[in-house]
């Protein structure tokens, strides 16, 4: 039976800071007092029953705004009660996985009243974030001191403070000692070994750990393709048409690796407890707005926005804009082909080493333009998706991912499809694929890791000088740490990282049969990606909050869709190959029918496998 919160004393004079809250510089005193009181109030009074203190005490007016930074923590008992509230799943003494309850705490493995490491730091910070987000208005109709910041019973206080510009940010603090240990085992040594996924999960949570698990798995899955590709490339370098065997292997590889990943993912998330974790009721996202009304499902008062208005925005504005961007992408592609024709004519006229290098220039320019267009379009897609005003964060993310994937797919692969199935130029296809793949990998490594790391190091030096010039009545190491971390950029999630892997999977699965070294470059890129992404999340950005998850979400569907497209593409390439055409010299119809039959059999096998998997889950 669930025990009453009022039966526990969750107050501690000295506590370990886990989360930082930063308010705006000119926040009114009555607002600060009201907020801190709501954070420490007991649950029965509508509070979060957490612990909070200001980062520093004001010392003769020398603090310059830092009195608006607060440290939040919780007692050990409070965190255990919070673990039950959020439904964390932990391992029991009999090795089974069960939802944690405080009343049966002694049945869980490694539990002891004095063992403060029973919950990982990521779990503790997730609990505090959950409690802060569920801090709701009772009878208040506005934020004290801000009449324009309206409240209503049940409204999330933190979300209102954020949308009103009073709350600047909430972020979890790093554990400097644990971070050093993780850095050393993760990327502090240059060696070929598995990543410490369990340690990553304990420190950053399941979402981050699953991304690095998928990156590691995908890199190992590329190794067979790379090992086959090297001799295939060396011995058939000038014969662009001998790709039937490699394309046939591609058909199997692109499907098998995704099925094996599902099993690996399930094993990991079961061990971590998130596979069995119940999904939390999803609240309206912070950016959602509308007129105040009654939610027909929950019966609670909250903003309501007409779904008809949202559909009008999607189909009459967003969809035409996306189509216009796709048209512009195709227009740029045709300019690229004109540059290719110019470079070829220039080479035929001059026949020099310089003119031979010029043959690669159009592809390099086009690759750079593609990356620029992808990034510009991403900002436009984010603006449009926010403007569509989706109620739930999951719906917002799904619409954003769909917009971005459709454009990125056409922008990156349209030229390759055109070369393969309109121009039928396998030599140009190989050259374009190699240039696009290698150029995009170099640009991504520079823009996503090296440049942010260099900028962050420069910024840290300035912050440290400012910190040491201020006299404060507090722990200087903690003061310095908080000031350094609050100035860091915010980690925006794994979206861009998965998108990069998705496009890489496309390059390898769709056309690597004509450029077998694609998998080799992908492996080399992913090895450096592991180190650069680890450096980025540990040193460049603020620590992200843990987010329990059971899989890689909509990205699994995206990769499976790409796998189906690769089946069709490779079957078509096999049908175009001279070796297969030689078997049917008189009847192209027979060849077409056989290729289509093989393609349909492959797709039918995948469909049957999905149905069987679904039946097993239901049983």
């Amino acid at each position: 039976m669930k025990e009453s919160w009022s039966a526990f004393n969750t107050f501690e004079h000295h506590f370990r800071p886990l989360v930082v809250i930063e308010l705006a510089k000119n926040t009114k005193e009555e607002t600060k007092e009201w907020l801190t009181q709501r954070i420490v109030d007991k649950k029965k009074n509508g509070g979060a029953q957490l612990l909070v203190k200001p980062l520093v005490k004001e010392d003769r007016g020398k603090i310059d705004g830092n009195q608006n930074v607060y440290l939040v923590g919780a007692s050990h008992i409070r965190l255990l009660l919070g673990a039950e509230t959020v439904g964390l799943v932990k391992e029991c003494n009999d090795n089974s996985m069960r939802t944690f309850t405080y009343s049966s705490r002694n049945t869980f493995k490694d539990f002891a009243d004095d063992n403060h490491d029973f919950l990982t730091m990521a779990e503790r910070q997730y609990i505090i974030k959950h409690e802060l987000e569920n801090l709701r208005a009772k009878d208040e109709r506005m934020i004290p001191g801000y009449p324009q910041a309206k409240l209503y019973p049940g409204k999330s206080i933190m979300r209102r403070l954020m949308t009103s510009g009073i709350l600047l940010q909430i972020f979890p603090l790093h554990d400097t000692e644990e971070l050093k240990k993780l850095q050393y085992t993760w990327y502090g040594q240059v060696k070929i070994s598995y990543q410490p996924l369990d340690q990553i999960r304990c420190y950053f949570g399941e979402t981050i750990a699953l991304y690095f698990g998928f990156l590691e798995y995908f890199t190992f899955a590329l190794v067979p393709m790379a090992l086959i590709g090297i001799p295939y490339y060396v011995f058939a370098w000038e014969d662009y048409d001998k790709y039937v065997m490699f394309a046939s292997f591609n058909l199997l590889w692109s499907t098998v690796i995704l099925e094996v990943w599902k099993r690996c993912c399930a094993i990991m998330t079961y061990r971590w407890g998130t596979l069995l974790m119940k999904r939390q009721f999803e609240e309206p996202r912070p950016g959602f707005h509308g007129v105040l009304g009654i939610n027909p499902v929950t019966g609670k008062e909250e903003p309501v926005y007409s779904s008809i208005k949202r559909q009008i925005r999607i189909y009459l504005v967003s969809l035409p804009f996306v189509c216009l961007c796709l048209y512009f992408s195709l227009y740029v592609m045709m300019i690229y082909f004109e540059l290719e024709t110019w470079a070829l004519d220039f080479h035929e006229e001059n026949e020099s080493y310089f003119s031979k290098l010029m043959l690669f220039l159009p592809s390099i320019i086009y690759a750079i333009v593609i990356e620029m267009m992808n990034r510009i379009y991403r900002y436009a897609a984010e603006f449009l998706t926010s403007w569509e005003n989706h109620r739930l964060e999951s719906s917002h993310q799904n619409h954003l991912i769909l917009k971005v994937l459709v454009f990125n797919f056409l922008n990156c692969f349209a030229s390759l499809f055109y070369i393969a199935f309109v121009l039928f130029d396998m030599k140009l296809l190989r050259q374009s694929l190699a240039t696009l793949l290698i150029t995009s990998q170099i640009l991504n490594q520079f823009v996503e890791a090296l440049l942010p790391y260099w900028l962050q190091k420069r910024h840290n030096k300035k912050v440290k000088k400012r910190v040491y010039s201020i006299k404060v009545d507090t722990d200087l190491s903690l003061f310095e740490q908080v000031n350094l971390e609050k100035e860091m950029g915010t980690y925006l999630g794994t979206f861009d990282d998965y998108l990069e892997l998705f496009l890489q999977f496309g390059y390898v699965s769709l056309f690597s049969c004509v450029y077998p070294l694609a998998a080799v470059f992908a492996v080399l890129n992913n090895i450096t990606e592991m180190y650069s992404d680890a450096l980025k999340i540990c040193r460049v950005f603020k620590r992200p909050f843990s987010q329990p998850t059971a899989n890689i979400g909509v990205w699994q569907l995206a990769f499976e869709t790409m796998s189906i497209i690769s089946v069709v593409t490779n079957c078509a390439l096999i049908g175009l190959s001279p070796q297969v055409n030689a078997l049917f010299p008189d009847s192209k119809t027979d060849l077409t029918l056989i290729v289509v039959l093989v393609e349909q059999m492959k797709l039918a096998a995948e469909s049957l496998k999905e149905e069987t998997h679904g039946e097993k889950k239901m049983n």
Side-chain angles (χ1 to χ4, degrees):
M1 188 178 78
K2 192 171 180 178
E3 298 177 67
S4 172
W5 285 75
S6 58
F8 301 97
N9 179 18
T10 58
F11 180 76
E12 289 181 0
H13 285 287
H14 302 285
F15 64 91
R16 180 181 185 181
L18 295 172
V19 173
V20 176
I21 294 176
E22 184 182 9
L23 303 178
K25 191 173 181 179
N26 57 350
T27 304
K28 296 178 181 177
E29 287 300 322
E30 59 181 307
T31 309
K32 297 180 196 175
E33 291 174 8
W34 171 77
L35 177 61
T36 53
Q37 188 60 45
R38 290 301 304 270
I39 292 173
V40 300
D41 267 351
K42 290 187 177 297
K43 294 285 281 187
K44 65 179 181 180
N45 298 327
Q49 208 164 329
L50 299 173
L51 305 172
V52 63
K53 64 181 179 181
L55 174 60
V56 292
K57 296 178 182 177
E58 193 165 355
D59 182 19
R60 297 177 187 175
K62 294 181 181 178
I63 300 307
D64 191 28
N66 284 309
Q67 64 269 30
N68 293 327
V69 177
Y70 292 85
L71 306 175
V72 183
S75 65
H76 181 52
I77 294 176
R78 176 65 184 85
L79 290 169
L80 293 174
L81 293 169
E84 180 177 347
T85 302
V86 300
L88 290 185
V89 175
K90 306 293 283 186
E91 187 176 2
C92 295
N93 292 323
D94 60 0
N95 297 323
S96 63
M97 304 295 292
R98 294 178 195 164
T99 304
F100 178 80
T101 57
Y102 186 78
S103 58
S104 61
R105 58 192 178 279
N106 291 314
T107 64
F108 289 86
K109 184 177 285 188
D110 299 327
F111 179 83
D113 288 326
D114 59 348
N115 180 17
H116 289 233
D117 293 326
F118 174 71
L119 298 175
T120 67
M121 193 173 183
E123 289 172 338
R124 284 176 266 166
Q125 290 169 331
Y126 170 69
I127 291 167
I128 290 180
K129 173 177 176 278
H130 176 271
E131 296 297 345
L132 288 173
E133 287 182 344
N134 282 275
L135 194 61
R136 303 190 179 280
K138 294 181 69 180
D139 303 323
E140 303 97 332
R141 290 296 173 180
M142 65 176 189
I143 300 290
Y146 296 88
Q148 74 280 9
K150 303 297 183 183
L151 289 174
Y152 50 85
K155 172 64 180 175
S156 171
I157 290 173
M158 289 299 172
R159 288 170 186 263
R160 173 57 72 217
L161 289 170
M162 186 77 77
T163 54
S164 301
I166 302 167
L167 174 62
L168 298 182
Q169 59 179 335
I170 304 177
F171 64 92
L173 267 178
H174 273 297
D175 181 331
T176 52
E177 291 303 316
E178 286 299 317
L179 183 61
K180 285 178 184 177
K181 293 176 186 176
L182 178 60
Q183 286 174 335
Y184 180 75
T185 55
W186 193 2
Y187 66 89
Q189 319 168 66
V190 179
K191 61 177 182 179
I192 299 176
S193 64
Y194 292 107
Q195 296 179 101
L197 294 179
D198 287 332
Q199 288 178 254
I200 297 170
R201 176 252 169 180
C202 288
Y203 194 83
F204 287 110
E206 290 78 15
T207 300
I208 303 295
L210 267 185
Y211 162 68
F212 281 100
F214 182 73
L215 174 59
E216 178 180 278
Y217 169 81
F218 184 50
T219 304
F220 279 108
L222 285 165
V223 170
M225 289 281 286
L227 293 177
I228 295 172
I230 292 172
Y232 206 95
Y233 179 84
V234 170
F235 295 113
W237 163 242
E238 291 299 336
D239 198 338
Y240 301 99
D241 299 321
K242 289 184 178 179
Y243 54 75
V244 175
M245 292 299 294
F246 205 88
S248 302
F249 180 74
N250 246 345
L251 288 172
L252 296 172
W253 175 84
S254 60
T255 303
V256 169
I257 65 164
L258 295 178
E259 289 305 310
V260 175
W261 163 250
K262 284 183 184 178
R263 183 174 293 272
C264 294
C265 179
I267 291 171
M268 279 193 295
T269 52
Y270 178 80
R271 188 174 73 245
W272 295 340
T274 52
L275 187 65
L276 306 175
M277 195 171 174
K278 291 181 181 178
R279 188 175 177 181
Q280 295 287 321
F281 177 76
E282 197 171 357
E283 295 286 339
R285 66 187 191 88
F288 176 68
H289 58 85
V291 296
L292 206 59
I294 303 297
N295 186 311
V297 178
T298 63
K300 294 180 179 179
E301 193 177 30
E302 65 176 46
V304 176
Y305 187 77
S306 170
S307 60
I308 296 175
K309 288 183 180 179
R310 185 180 300 115
Q311 297 303 317
I312 290 173
R313 289 186 174 192
I314 291 173
Y315 291 108
L316 296 186
V317 179
S318 295
L319 183 59
F321 176 80
V322 172
C323 292
L324 182 65
C325 290
L326 295 177
Y327 172 79
F328 181 73
S329 174
L330 293 176
Y331 181 77
V332 172
M333 181 189 76
M334 299 313 296
I335 295 175
Y336 156 66
F337 285 121
E338 290 180 7
L339 288 175
E340 283 286 359
T341 304
W342 170 83
L344 186 61
D345 293 341
F346 181 80
H347 176 63
E348 289 176 352
E349 290 176 6
N350 294 274
E351 289 287 344
S352 63
Y353 180 74
F354 175 73
S355 66
K356 197 172 183 179
L357 290 176
M358 288 292 289
L359 290 174
F360 293 93
L361 185 62
S363 295
I364 294 173
I365 294 173
Y366 185 48
I368 295 172
V369 171
I370 283 176
E371 287 298 316
M372 292 172 62
M373 288 170 63
N374 284 345
R375 293 182 186 278
I376 294 170
Y377 175 82
R378 168 72 185 276
Y379 291 117
E382 287 177 345
F383 173 80
L384 276 177
T385 310
S386 296
W387 180 71
E388 289 165 6
N389 196 29
H390 296 279
R391 178 178 176 272
L392 301 179
E393 185 64 31
S394 59
S395 176
H396 176 89
Q397 286 297 321
N398 289 341
H399 279 81
L400 175 61
I401 289 172
L402 180 61
K403 289 185 185 73
V404 172
L405 287 187
V406 168
F407 181 81
N408 276 255
F409 180 84
L410 187 81
N411 201 30
C412 294
F413 301 118
S415 61
L416 301 179
F417 279 102
Y418 187 85
I419 295 169
F421 302 116
V422 178
L423 301 180
F424 303 109
D425 189 340
M426 294 304 158
K427 183 176 181 180
L428 180 58
L429 179 61
R430 171 182 283 187
Q431 176 189 309
S432 297
L433 175 60
T435 309
L436 288 174
L437 176 64
I438 296 169
T439 306
S440 65
Q441 288 177 346
I442 293 172
L443 288 175
N444 282 325
Q445 290 285 354
F446 177 75
V447 173
E448 293 182 9
L450 297 178
L451 182 61
Y453 178 67
W454 178 72
L455 291 174
Q456 188 61 44
K457 283 196 74 174
R458 287 190 62 189
H459 182 72
N460 283 355
K461 289 179 181 178
K462 294 179 182 178
V463 173
K464 284 183 178 181
K465 287 180 181 178
R466 191 169 72 239
V467 166
Y468 284 110
S469 66
I470 298 174
K471 294 179 180 179
V472 294
D473 180 22
T474 188
D475 179 4
L476 189 60
S477 60
L478 177 63
F479 182 75
E480 179 186 341
Q481 181 189 350
V482 172
N483 275 276
L484 284 173
E485 291 184 25
K486 77 183 182 71
E487 297 295 333
M488 287 179 170
T490 301
Y491 182 71
L492 299 177
T494 54
F495 185 99
D496 288 328
D497 299 312
Y498 277 118
L499 179 61
E500 187 179 342
L501 289 179
F502 172 79
L503 296 176
Q504 186 187 91
F505 179 66
Y507 284 125
V508 173
S509 63
L510 293 174
F511 297 108
S512 64
C513 59
V514 297
Y515 184 61
L517 286 186
V520 177
F521 284 109
V523 169
L524 294 174
N525 174 78
N526 288 358
I527 291 172
T528 58
E529 187 82 12
M530 287 182 199
Y531 285 95
S532 62
D533 283 353
L535 176 71
K536 179 173 67 177
I537 198 169
C538 290
R539 300 285 301 278
V540 176
F541 295 111
K542 281 193 283 282
R543 184 180 187 175
F545 276 106
S546 166
Q547 187 61 47
T549 185
N551 48 55
I552 62 174
V554 70
W555 290 105
Q556 181 73 37
L557 178 61
F559 278 88
E560 288 173 355
T561 304
M562 182 67 83
S563 175
I564 293 172
I565 296 171
S566 76
V567 169
V568 178
T569 304
N570 281 281
C571 285
L573 287 171
I574 291 171
L576 290 173
S577 68
Q579 301 103 298
V580 175
N581 273 275
L583 298 175
F584 302 90
D586 301 321
S587 177
K588 299 297 181 186
T589 305
D590 291 345
L591 172 60
T592 304
L593 290 173
I594 289 173
V595 170
V596 171
L597 179 62
V598 170
E599 173 192 311
Q600 293 301 315
M601 287 175 63
K602 180 73 169 56
L603 296 176
E606 288 188 24
S607 178
L608 181 63
K609 175 188 62 187
E610 287 295 325
E611 288 182 14
T612 306
H613 180 69
E615 288 176 5
K616 285 182 179 178
K617 285 181 73 176
M618 289 176 67
N619 293 333

